[in-house]
Amino acid sequence: MAILEPWQAIDGEGDGGSAGRRPRDKILVFHLKRKKQYKKLQGHRQNFTEVRIKAIEADGVTYTAAK
């Protein structure tokens, strides 16, 4: 499976499904300076866009997604 960047294009047509924006799982960032009693815990959630592709048509062949 190839991962395409947003500026790259697929030679063919696609039948896009639903798309949604939601935050990813939380990533915990923990900083520790040993022997100094310094601890810092910080959470980070970055948004991402989820797109479901139902079918791709290229060179007269249609490829559909597995159900």
Side-chain angles (χ1 to χ4, degrees), residues 27-55:
I27 298 172
L28 296 178
V29 181
F30 183 71
H31 298 277
L32 172 70
K33 293 185 180 178
R34 57 191 202 106
K35 298 183 182 179
K36 303 295 182 192
Q37 300 298 315
Y38 175 81
K39 297 175 195 165
K40 180 181 175 185
L41 182 66
Q42 183 177 6
H44 174 74
R45 293 182 74 162
Q46 185 161 342
N47 290 331
F48 77 103
T49 302
E50 180 180 34
V51 178
R52 292 193 177 106
I53 304 297
K54 295 178 183 176

Side-chain angles (χ1 to χ4, degrees), residues 9-20:
I10 298 174
D11 186 23
E13 292 185 15
D15 182 18
S18 61

